Structure formats: C-alpha cells, structure tokens
Amino acid sequence: MTRAPRDSLSRVAADVVACQRCPRLRSWCRLVAEVKVKRFRDESYWGRPVPGFGDPRARLLVVGLAPAAHGGNRTGRVFTGDRSGDFLFAGLHRAGFASQPTSVSRGDGLRLRDCYIAPLARCAPPANKPTPEEIRNCREYLLREWALLTRVRAVLVLGKLAMDGFVALLREAGRVPRRAYAFGHGVSHDLGGGLRLFASFHPSQQNTFTGKLTAAGFDGVLDQVRRHLGGE
Ligand code: SF4
C-alpha cells in the first residue's frame, strides 16, 4: 500500500511557487516582472508566487496580506526589498525575532528566530488588493502551514484584512466560533489553548510615512507578544 507523503513546509513552498489558481494575479505578476520599474530595471524579477518564510519551530506567526509588486514579487521572499519590509524587519530585529534589521534579498543571510511570516495571498495583486476569491483560493497554503507550525502561541496580524482572513481560516479549521474579533492597533484576543491573536496596523508606507504606525507603536505590540510568549 502506498502512503500519501507527509506534508512539510518545503512541500507547501514548492506547491505555492508552482500555483496557477488565480489567472488575474499570475498574469499581473508576470507583467510586472517583465516591465519592471526604472530603479530595478537591471534586476531579474522572481515573478512567481511567494512562499512563507521563517523558523519551522516558531511560536510567533506573522500574517500579512500579499507580496508587493516590486518587493516580494521581485525578490522572491515575503516583505523583502520594499519599505514595508524595512519597517517590519527592523521591528522584529529590535524584538529579537530577526537576525538582522534589513531584508533585501533571498541571499542576504537573514534568519528569523521563533518567528514565521506568511501572507494570506501569495501573489502580488494589482493596487495591493487581492479579491476575496483570490484570498480564498490561497487559504489552503496558510492552513497547511498552520497545521505544520505546531508550536505557534502568538499570531500577529498586520492590518484588518489580514485579521479578517486569518480569523476566517481559523473558523474553517474549527478553531474559533463564528463571531467577529474587533480590529485595532494593539488589540489582542485570547483564542483559547494558550493561543493569542495580536493586531497591528499594516507597515505600509501609507501608514508609516503618515505616522499612523510608528516604530514605537510597533514595538509596543511586539512587547505584548514577547510578554505573552515569555509567560509560558
Ligand atoms: S494567490 Fe495563491 S492561490 Fe492564487 S495563484 Fe497565487 S499562490 Fe495560487
């Protein structure tokens, strides 16, 4: 009798990279990778779906929305090579979750400690907005990672859309009841069984340039996460 192969994070990553489920996103990512922008015109873009990244034994899962056209879609690693990533990894480094404060390319030596990062949708969307259907199409990958990341005790969602998408995933997994969880920067919710959901504004340029999300404000949320993990 042949047994189904056991799932693994590397298998999920391979399936993500080969995925073609959303025609709109696939053609957009390919187009962006072909046309490029002036400042990256000499670079070879990744142009494929972007897998999750981090420590397989992570207790912290960070959930974003989707890769950026000239960030993850260019470099092949989530939150890498764009301003949102600069802000995010600087914060994760200050909090001890990242080996360095910058994330510029897949070969830059960055390591995450006790932390794993995954977006809801793995392809860069036009105007940074995946459709609800595209988010649903992609849910399988985060669900599989969720099942494999058995040590996670804290989930940090970056923005309301990430929170809504992650709560929908938990419902599908039978983990939470059908009720709404309020979103707000610094808000957290007990999900039972030692698991806590933390929320932050998304580190988009729109939020960080306007001061809606500051480094101190982000550190405050990561301090809460640290306290929660440290208390176990
Ligand atoms: S967004 Fe997800 S489901 Fe859609 S094509 Fe990309 S990897 Fe596949």
Side-chain angles (χ1 to χ4, degrees), residues 3-231:
R3 289 189 178 191
R6 282 206 1 217
D7 206 5
S8 66
L9 290 173
S10 54
R11 191 177 293 272
V12 179
D15 290 347
V16 165
V17 172
C19 185
Q20 299 287 335
R21 266 180 216 158
C22 308
R24 182 186 83 114
L25 297 186
R26 292 310 317 124
S27 36
W28 172 251
C29 290
R30 277 194 294 267
L31 179 69
V32 169
E34 216 178 285
V35 176
K36 308 181 184 182
V37 277
K38 208 171 162 193
R39 66 188 185 282
F40 300 129
R41 72 180 162 209
D42 295 330
E43 292 200 21
S44 172
Y45 275 51
W46 173 258
R48 287 174 280 167
V50 181
F53 164 64
D55 182 351
R57 292 176 52 77
R59 290 180 303 159
L60 169 62
L61 171 65
V62 178
V63 178
L65 181 58
H70 303 286
N73 186 55
R74 174 174 59 89
T75 61
R77 195 171 68 192
V78 67
F79 281 108
T80 296
D82 60 26
R83 294 289 176 89
S84 301
D86 292 346
F87 185 97
L88 174 67
F89 284 104
L92 290 175
H93 179 64
R94 288 192 297 274
F97 290 110
S99 62
Q100 59 191 48
T102 55
S103 176
V104 294
S105 71
R106 292 200 312 287
D108 64 4
L110 171 66
R111 295 282 173 271
L112 293 184
R113 303 185 195 109
D114 209 8
C115 175
Y116 191 94
I117 303 181
L120 285 182
R122 310 293 164 119
C123 293
N128 294 321
K129 264 197 173 169
T131 65
E133 187 191 355
E134 288 159 350
I135 290 176
R136 272 196 304 276
N137 286 348
C138 214
R139 192 170 291 157
E140 174 207 322
Y141 301 122
L142 189 52
L143 261 173
R144 286 168 63 190
E145 287 166 322
W146 176 248
L148 291 161
L149 295 165
T150 54
R151 284 170 52 88
V152 168
R153 295 293 172 267
V155 178
L156 171 59
V157 287
L158 302 175
K160 184 174 185 316
L161 290 175
M163 179 154 176
D164 291 346
F166 185 72
V167 169
L169 177 147
L170 288 180
R171 280 196 203 110
E172 200 170 302
R175 174 84 201 216
V176 295
R178 287 201 160 271
R179 71 174 174 86
Y181 289 86
F183 176 81
H185 182 80
V187 165
S188 77
H189 298 281
D190 181 9
L191 298 180
L195 179 67
R196 198 157 190 96
L197 180 64
F198 297 86
S200 166
F201 291 139
H202 190 280
S204 63
Q205 283 190 64
Q206 203 183 355
N207 287 338
T208 55
F209 278 23
T210 56
K212 183 174 177 181
L213 179 61
T214 61
F218 193 51
D219 288 352
V221 176
L222 289 172
D223 280 351
Q224 288 182 49
V225 171
R226 270 276 169 234
R227 279 199 299 277
H228 173 65
L229 294 179

